[in-house]
Amino acid sequence: MRKPVIAGNWKMYKTPKESLAFLDAFLPLVEGHTRDEIILFPTMSSLGYVIDAAQGTNVRAGAQNMHWLNEGPYTGQTSPTMLVSIGCRHVLLGHSEQRLYFNETYERVNLKLKAAINHGITPIVCVGELLGEREDGKTEETLRTQVRSALRNVSSNEARRLIIAYEPIWAIGTGSTASPEIAAEAHSIIRHELAHCCTQQIADGTRILYGGSVKPENIGSLMKQEEIDGALVGGASLIPTDFARIVQYQ
Ligand code: PGA
């Protein structure tokens, strides 16, 4: 059984004050909800506040990125030990905005993934094809390559806690969601590659989330697909009532 994960990626939105105001409104709306894991990804400046305010609730908070080393002369970076020290146990890795605008590579995602696992932080690795790759019939090749390079030299035992988010780049922030069937097909490609890189058991147990213009109106049909184990939500996770409706999909 794969417990669904509904995650909110706040990107570069919300000050600490706004983040805490979100929690004040959101926590009562999802109180007692245990069907799905709920994880928020605020900016680094809000993360510690959100973790503290959500303590003892059914909501967790994670970082949007991290470095793979514990410390060093790397201006602008945050390390796994620093995240652990504030109670952070989840991290997003390889988000397409990191890849497109900040030159993130899957070689680095691989280093970060290994560091996260070594520090007991659950990594959510984002993969997904460009519109041009889909149109050229390269979706499968792209997804397989991304999964394989992220998991290079990661043992099956280490891959146990991994979560993957399938986020087709053409669907992010565009309002055009992948249809449930297209998403499910991509998820099954990713699962096959996981079986190839690790074991069938790991592939069967890994949660694969869909991300890209998820809204209260389309989450239900996405979650009906057996291959889809949750969602990574950007824009619609910024509004407490919308995100609560997504968490409570039927
Ligand atoms: P979106 O973003 O829901 O606003 O499309 C998803 C994401 O980038 O994780």
Side-chain angles (χ1 to χ4, degrees), residues 129-131 134-135 166-180 182-183 210-215 217-219 221-222 232 235-236:
E129 79 286 1
L130 293 159
L131 182 59
R134 174 160 288 273
E135 286 171 348
Y166 168 61
E167 298 207 310
I169 292 164
W170 47 270
I172 294 181
T174 58
S176 60
T177 323
S179 69
I182 285 185
Y210 167 76
S213 298
V214 173
K215 303 272 180 282
E217 295 74 33
N218 57 29
I219 180 75
S221 57
L222 289 161
L232 179 56

Side-chain angles (χ1 to χ4, degrees), residues 66-71 74 77-80 104 107-116 119:
M66 66 170 207
H67 198 278
W68 59 91
L69 296 175
N70 287 341
E71 58 182 11
Y74 303 105
Q77 301 295 314
T78 307
S79 80
E104 182 65 302
E107 288 72 50
R108 276 193 264 150
V109 169
N110 174 250
L111 293 170
K112 292 175 181 188
L113 188 151
K114 288 192 267 199
H119 287 88

Side-chain angles (χ1 to χ4, degrees), residues 46-69:
S46 291
L47 181 57
Y49 294 100
V50 173
I51 288 173
D52 289 350
Q55 200 137 42
T57 75
N58 53 343
V59 175
R60 300 281 164 273
Q64 295 177 14
N65 193 11
M66 66 170 207
H67 198 278
W68 59 91
L69 296 175

Side-chain angles (χ1 to χ4, degrees), residues 8-14 19 39-47 61-67 77-78 83 86 88 90-99 102 104 109 112 121-122 124-126 232-234 237-238:
N9 173 13
W10 285 357
K11 309 191 178 191
M12 199 170 72
Y13 292 98
K14 293 193 191 297
S19 303
I39 314 169
L40 294 169
F41 290 89
T43 64
M44 220 50 107
S45 59
S46 291
L47 181 57
Q64 295 177 14
N65 193 11
M66 66 170 207
H67 198 278
Q77 301 295 314
T78 307
L83 293 181
I86 59 165
C88 172
H90 296 86
V91 67
L92 288 182
L93 297 178
H95 190 277
S96 60
E97 285 152 12
Q98 279 292 323
R99 291 189 275 132
F102 304 104
E104 182 65 302
V109 169
K112 292 175 181 188
I121 300 171
T122 300
I124 301 188
V125 174
C126 305
L232 179 56
V233 186
S237 73
L238 294 169

Side-chain angles (χ1 to χ4, degrees), residues 50 65 88 96 116 143-144 146-147 149 185 187 214 229 245 249:
V50 173
N65 193 11
C88 172
S96 60
L143 296 177
R144 284 187 182 273
Q146 291 174 339
V147 170
S149 40
E185 191 190 0
H187 284 216
V214 173
D229 308 312
R245 281 172 64 204
Y249 65 85

